[in-house]
Amino acid sequence: MCGGGGGGRRPPPPPTELRGRVQVRTRSHGTRHWTGWQDIETHNHEHGADPDTAERGSGRVRGSTAPLWVGNSDGVEVRVQAAVDERSTSAGESPLPRGMHLELVDPDGGSSSGRGPTASGRSTGWNAGTDSVTTALDAAMAATTAAHEASAADAALAPLGATAIPALSKARTEREYLAAHQGEPRAKPYIGARPRIVTRRGWGADEGLRERGLVYTKMVKAAFVHHTASGNNYRCSQASSVIRSIYRYHVKSSGWRDIGYNFLVDKCGTVYEGRAGGVAKPVMGAHTLGFNSDTMGIAVLGTFADTRPAAAALRAVARLTAWKLGLYGVNPRGKTYLKSGGGNLYRKGKNVRLNVISGHRDGFATECPGRLLYGKLGSARTTAARYQGR
């Protein structure tokens, strides 16, 4: 996984965008073959936490490009071309953000900056002194506690440590919903069957990476659909590696508290738990700047500006929204009002009427989720409502 980020001792402010063009090419491991030049989306902050939230104001957040999945590679080249605007650039001032560097992310290890020796594959060494051992033990205990915290949030749906939350039939899902709402005067619920969901443990999340604690909003009123813009050159057997890379990129490279999305979906239609806190709960994500409260973010792995999303992925989005929105009594074909937390489309505090299943671009001026995925959201709404029995 490759990505670009601001770096140095004084990284650029979170809203800083790289205005221009970034291209990457990589060399396949053990060969002399280089890929063609691949474009990377030049800013990624629109997926981030809302303004005025603790996550946004942590002081760790950095501007970044979208990540790019490159598979098993041992060489990388990057070229950056600024879009020069003489009206907004002072004399002697670079049109590019300061402190840019390349982030190389290994889904099964660490991440390294293109500025340092680890980018060339040389070992940095490790001092196994008493202080180092103590620190390592403390880190291991913290990670174990965080793993228990993440798994316990789904304890009502699967045993502790489960790698997947099992699918339920529609009838069983309805019975469990009614049992959870005993004493409330409710008619037969409109809710879709619960899909199988791979847990964080199932895709191999390193719980020691993320910030401790879980953050919730009041309910789930809407779903924003995204693409990860990480490319389509992955096999479904590699999806967990792609997600681990995005997770590490969001936390270590971009400075977020956890992976930004609430759920991820691969091209084969497998659904994955995203941000920790419980798949049935209103976990606050960092997916649609300005509209993270009372919503959930679903990211389809891939890039869909010019590539059609797989039918299996679209069905998975419909099934997931039919279930999760149904838990909160929400019609996938409906509209709802959301209060903007601030962004480039709507001022802070404005009540905005949006589709219950919206694309990222409906809340923020961005290409996400790609025009070919965005064009399928109408059928996703209809299908999700049908799965609910509407």
Side-chain angles (χ1 to χ4, degrees), residues 2-6 12-23 39-48 56 61-68 80-81 83 96-97 100 226-230 249-250 254 256 261 286-287 289 343-345 360-361 363-368:
C2 293
T16 299
E17 295 182 12
L18 193 164
R19 298 188 180 277
R21 188 180 192 185
V22 179
Q23 293 182 304
D39 287 296
I40 299 181
E41 290 189 7
T42 56
H43 51 92
N44 198 38
H45 71 275
E46 67 265 33
H47 295 78
R56 188 72 174 178
V61 177
R62 299 187 293 274
S64 58
T65 69
L68 178 68
V80 182
Q81 182 179 6
L96 296 172
M100 290 192 303
H226 305 254
H227 68 175
T228 57
S230 51
Y249 187 62
H250 282 181
S254 299
W256 302 354
Y261 310 114
H287 49 83
L289 192 145
N344 65 2
L345 278 182
H360 185 187
R361 64 176 65 182
F364 197 97
T366 174
E367 294 299 314
C368 183

Side-chain angles (χ1 to χ4, degrees), residues 228-360:
T228 57
S230 51
N232 303 307
N233 188 28
Y234 72 92
R235 300 185 301 275
C236 291
S237 61
Q238 295 176 310
S240 290
S241 292
V242 177
I243 294 169
R244 288 196 300 273
S245 297
I246 294 171
Y247 172 44
R248 183 171 286 272
Y249 187 62
H250 282 181
V251 176
K252 302 296 285 186
S253 305
S254 299
W256 302 354
R257 75 185 315 274
D258 193 351
I259 193 169
Y261 310 114
N262 298 103
F263 297 93
L264 300 99
V265 175
D266 70 21
K267 63 177 72 174
C268 290
T270 302
V271 178
Y272 302 83
E273 178 181 19
R275 180 162 287 209
V279 298
K281 298 176 182 178
V283 178
M284 186 169 187
H287 49 83
T288 306
L289 192 145
F291 292 100
N292 289 305
S293 292
D294 298 337
T295 68
M296 65 175 179
I298 304 169
V300 182
L301 297 180
T303 306
F304 303 107
D306 301 304
T307 301
R308 292 186 179 89
L314 295 171
R315 284 194 298 272
V317 169
R319 292 189 185 281
L320 175 60
T321 51
W323 169 70
K324 184 66 180 277
L325 293 172
L327 292 176
Y328 295 88
V330 177
N331 183 348
R333 283 188 304 195
K335 292 183 180 291
T336 190
Y337 280 94
L338 298 172
K339 181 176 288 189
S340 172
N344 65 2
L345 278 182
Y346 303 104
R347 60 174 173 79
K348 182 178 179 180
K350 181 177 176 60
N351 281 317
V352 183
R353 190 168 185 256
L354 294 169
N355 287 309
V356 163
I357 298 179
S358 284
H360 185 187

Side-chain angles (χ1 to χ4, degrees), residues 27-111:
R27 184 179 60 207
S28 300
H29 177 68
T31 74
R32 295 182 178 180
H33 174 71
W34 287 84
T35 67
W37 288 102
Q38 303 174 78
D39 287 296
I40 299 181
E41 290 189 7
T42 56
H43 51 92
N44 198 38
H45 71 275
E46 67 265 33
H47 295 78
D50 289 349
D52 300 326
T53 60
E55 182 173 0
R56 188 72 174 178
S58 66
R60 298 188 303 272
V61 177
R62 299 187 293 274
S64 58
T65 69
L68 178 68
W69 172 257
V70 298
N72 197 6
S73 305
D74 59 12
V76 59
E77 291 183 349
V78 181
R79 60 188 185 192
V80 182
Q81 182 179 6
V84 179
D85 185 348
E86 294 180 355
R87 295 170 299 176
S88 59
T89 304
S90 303
E93 179 185 353
S94 171
L96 296 172
R98 66 179 184 270
M100 290 192 303
H101 63 268
L102 174 67
E103 293 283 337
L104 306 177
V105 181
D106 178 357
D108 298 311
S111 62

Side-chain angles (χ1 to χ4, degrees), residues 190-214:
Y190 288 107
I191 185 171
R194 187 179 77 200
R196 178 179 179 273
I197 303 172
V198 176
T199 64
R200 291 173 63 90
R201 182 181 176 86
W203 56 259
D206 177 356
E207 299 296 351
L209 283 182
R210 66 176 175 87
E211 188 175 311
R212 291 289 302 279
L214 308 171

Side-chain angles (χ1 to χ4, degrees), residues 145-160:
T145 302
H148 182 273
E149 175 187 59
S151 187
D154 288 316
L157 309 181
L160 285 174

